[in-house]
C-alpha cells in the first residue's frame, strides 16, 4: 500500500505569480532556484536551530519552490490520517505557530475556514498570499482564544526552535505536530508524547494506544517516523536535477493529540513502524499497538510475503500466534 501525494497545480500557479512579481523569475528558472535552495540548505546545516532568514530574497525563493512543496506533501499525509481518525470533529479554528506562509494550513483549508498565523516574519510571509485573506489573520504572538475547546494548534517544523510547547497550548483542545524525521527530533517528539499523555491529552495518531512508547522506553536509538511517496511535478524535477538531494519519498514524525479521548481501538490494530528486515528463515517488520516491542513476522516456510509500508495502520488476524516478541503470521494482514 503506497501512499502517494502530489503538489496541487493551483498552488504552483500562485508560486509562479509571486516569483514573477516579486523576484522577476519563473518556475522554469531551475538553476537559479536550485542555487537558492543550496544556499538555504547550507544555512540550515550551519544553523540547525536557527529561524528561516525570511528577509533574504534567496531564502524566500528556496522556501516557495522547494521546501513548501515538500512540507505541504508531508502535511497532506498527516491531515489525511487525521481525517481517517475523525480527528477534526468539533474543531473550527486553526492557530498555526511558526507558520511561514502557511504551509501546513494550506493542507487544512478543506476542513477549516478560520486561520491565525503566528509568525515573527509576518510582514514578509503575509505578502505571499496563499491562504484566503478573508479567513486569515496574522500575529507575532498568540492571540486571545475565543473558543479554545474548538481550536487546533499546528506546529509544523517549528518545535525544533523551542525547548517545549508554549504555555498557551494548555488552553486549547487539539494539537497537530509535524517534525523532521531525524533521530534527535523524533525521540524528542516521543518524549513530548509522554508529557502530553501525563498532562491528560489523548494521542489519536500515529499511536493506537495511550501507554508508554516502546520505541522510547525499550530502545536508546529508535524513533517513530512515517514515509510517503511524492509524485513530484516536472518543474520541481528540473530544480532537483541541479541538487544533490532526491525526494521521491518523504519522511516525517508527527503527533495528533486532543483533550477528547481517542476512540477505542481494536486490540489487533497497530502501526507499521519499522523497515522490512530480511533474516534467515523469516522476514520481520516492527509493529506498534501497545507498550510492548513487537514484530510482524513472516516465516519463510509458510510461503507468505507481505511487506507493509512504514506508517500505515495494520490489522493482524485474530488467530495470530505470538512467540517471544514475534507475531507469526499465518495469513495476510489488512492495511489502511
Amino acid at each position: 500500500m503506497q501512499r502517494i501525494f502530489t503538489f496541487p497545480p493551483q498552488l504552483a500557479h500562485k508560486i509562479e505569480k509571486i516569483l514573477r512579481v516579486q523576484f522577476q523569475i519563473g518556475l522554469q528558472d531551475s538553476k537559479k532556484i536550485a542555487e537558492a535552495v543550496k544556499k538555504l540548505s547550507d544555512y540550515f546545516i550551519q544553523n540547525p536551530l536557527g529561524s528561516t532568514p525570511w528577509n533574504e530574497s534567496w531564502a524566500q525563493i528556496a522556501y516557495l519552490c522547494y521546501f513548501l512543496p515538500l512540507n505541504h506533501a508531508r502535511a497532506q499525509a498527516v491531515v489525511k490520517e487525521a481525517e481517517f481518525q475523525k480527528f477534526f470533529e468539533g474543531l473550527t479554528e486553526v492557530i498555526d505557530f511558526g507558520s511561514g506562509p502557511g504551509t501546513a494550513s494550506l493542507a487544512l483549508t478543506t476542513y477549516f475556514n478560520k486561520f491565525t498565523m503566528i509568525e515573527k516574519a509576518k510582514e514578509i510571509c503575509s505578502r505571499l498570499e496563499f491562504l484566503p485573506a478573508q479567513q486569515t489573520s496574522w500575529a507575532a504572538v498568540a492571540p486571545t482564544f475565543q473558543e479554545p475547546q474548538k481550536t487546533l494548534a499546528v506546529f509544523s517544523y517549528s518545535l525544533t526552535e523551542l525547548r517545549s510547547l508554549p504555555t498557551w497550548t494548555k488552553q486549547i483542545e487539539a494539537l497537530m505536530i509535524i517534525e523532521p524525521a531525524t533521530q534527535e527530533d523524533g525521540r524528542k517528539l516521543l518524549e513530548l508524547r509522554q508529557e502530553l499523555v501525563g498532562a491528560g491529552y489523548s494521542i489519536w495518531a500515529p499511536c493506537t494506544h495511550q501507554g508508554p512508547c516502546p520505541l522510547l522506553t525499550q530502545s536508546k536509538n529508535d524513533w517513530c517516523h512515517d514515509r510517503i511517496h511524492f509524485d513530484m511535478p516536472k518543474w520541481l524535477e528540473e530544480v532537483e536535477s541541479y541538487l544533490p538531494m532526491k525526494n521521491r519519498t518523504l519522511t516525517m514524525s508527527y503527533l495528533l493529540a486532543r483533550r477528547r479521548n481517542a476512540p477505542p481501538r481494536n486490540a489487533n490494530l497497530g502501526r507499521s513502524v519499522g523497515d522490512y528486515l530480511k533474516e534467515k528463515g523469516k522476514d520481520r517488520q516492527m509493529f506498534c499497538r501497545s507498550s510492548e516491542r513487537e514484530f510482524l513476522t513472516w516465516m519463510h516456510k509458510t510461503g507468505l510475503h507481505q511487506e507493509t509500508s512504514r506508517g500505515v495502520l495494520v490489522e493482524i488476524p485474530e488467530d495470530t500466534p505470538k512467540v517471544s516478541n514475534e507475531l507469526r503470521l499465518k495469513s495476510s494482514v489488512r492495511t489502511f
Side-chain angles (χ1 to χ4, degrees):
M1 175 187 173
Q2 286 190 353
R3 293 165 299 154
I4 303 173
F5 294 88
T6 60
F7 189 61
Q10 64 269 27
L11 293 184
H13 293 324
K14 287 189 177 184
I15 292 174
E16 176 76 22
K17 182 179 178 180
I18 292 169
L19 292 176
R20 294 290 180 190
V21 172
Q22 298 191 24
F23 307 108
Q24 292 74 56
I25 64 171
L27 288 175
Q28 305 312 312
D29 291 305
S30 309
K31 191 172 182 179
K32 289 182 180 178
I33 294 170
E35 289 170 354
V37 172
K38 288 178 185 175
K39 195 167 184 178
L40 187 55
S41 296
D42 289 342
Y43 170 86
F44 284 137
I45 290 170
Q46 295 166 12
N47 303 275
L49 301 180
S51 301
T52 302
W54 287 111
N55 58 312
E56 301 287 353
S57 59
W58 51 266
Q60 295 177 46
I61 292 169
Y63 190 89
L64 287 172
C65 301
Y66 185 76
F67 293 98
L68 188 151
L70 301 185
N71 288 343
H72 181 262
R74 293 178 172 104
Q76 284 185 77
V78 176
V79 168
K80 185 174 182 180
E81 180 65 29
E83 179 188 23
F84 180 75
Q85 301 292 347
K86 297 181 170 53
F87 178 77
F88 298 133
E89 285 187 355
L91 302 176
T92 60
E93 179 178 356
V94 172
I95 306 294
D96 192 341
F97 183 87
S99 64
T103 306
S105 289
L106 284 169
L108 290 164
T109 53
T110 302
Y111 309 94
F112 296 88
N113 56 22
K114 185 178 181 182
F115 297 86
T116 300
M117 306 288 107
I118 302 177
E119 173 58 57
K120 291 179 181 177
K122 63 185 181 71
E123 289 78 11
I124 295 172
C125 291
S126 62
R127 291 203 302 267
L128 301 180
E129 296 180 347
F130 278 104
L131 293 161
Q134 68 274 18
Q135 299 176 7
T136 309
S137 60
W138 292 80
V141 296
T144 301
F145 302 107
Q146 301 300 317
E147 296 184 288
Q149 73 280 7
K150 296 182 179 181
T151 300
L152 167 67
V154 175
F155 294 82
S156 178
Y157 283 63
S158 54
L159 279 187
T160 301
E161 304 170 19
L162 303 174
R163 291 184 179 273
S164 60
L165 285 172
T167 55
W168 55 262
T169 57
K170 296 177 182 179
Q171 303 175 42
I172 61 174
E173 166 64 24
L175 300 170
M176 184 175 95
I177 303 170
I178 309 173
E179 284 293 287
T182 62
Q183 183 184 52
E184 181 179 357
D185 288 301
R187 287 188 68 82
K188 181 180 176 181
L189 197 58
L190 296 182
E191 292 172 354
L192 176 59
R193 174 197 180 275
Q194 194 165 298
E195 292 174 16
L196 290 173
V197 171
Y201 278 93
S202 181
I203 308 300
W204 288 55
C207 315
T208 59
H209 66 95
Q210 305 302 316
C213 173
L215 296 181
L216 182 65
T217 61
Q218 299 177 39
S219 170
K220 294 182 179 180
N221 301 311
D222 288 328
W223 69 101
C224 186
H225 58 285
D226 200 352
R227 182 182 297 278
I228 61 171
H229 290 260
F230 183 43
D231 187 9
M232 187 175 290
K234 292 296 182 184
W235 60 267
L236 189 51
E237 284 186 10
E238 288 297 318
V239 172
E240 198 176 67
S241 69
Y242 293 100
L243 298 172
M245 305 87 79
K246 307 302 174 189
N247 290 285
R248 294 304 180 268
T249 66
L250 303 174
T251 58
M252 67 281 183
S253 295
Y254 74 95
L255 285 177
L256 296 173
R258 287 193 66 162
R259 298 286 184 183
R260 179 190 296 183
N261 287 337
R265 314 291 189 186
N266 180 336
N268 294 319
L269 185 70
R271 200 173 295 275
S272 177
V273 294
D275 293 328
Y276 195 78
L277 306 173
K278 294 182 178 294
E279 301 177 3
K280 185 176 181 180
K282 60 189 175 185
D283 300 329
R284 301 201 306 165
Q285 196 161 17
M286 197 182 303
F287 176 70
C288 186
R289 60 173 175 168
S290 69
S291 296
E292 291 187 66
R293 184 179 171 87
E294 297 181 307
F295 291 83
L296 300 176
T297 303
W298 295 265
M299 304 302 293
H300 291 173
K301 63 183 179 182
T302 66
L304 285 174
H305 172 84
Q306 186 188 7
E307 182 175 352
T308 64
S309 298
R310 178 189 279 270
V312 301
L313 286 169
V314 177
E315 185 176 19
I316 62 173
E318 188 73 37
D319 61 349
T320 302
K322 184 174 178 179
V323 179
S324 185
N325 63 356
E326 295 184 348
L327 298 163
R328 295 195 172 175
L329 297 161
K330 299 188 293 183
S331 58
S332 298
V333 300
R334 292 177 63 199
T335 59
F336 303 88

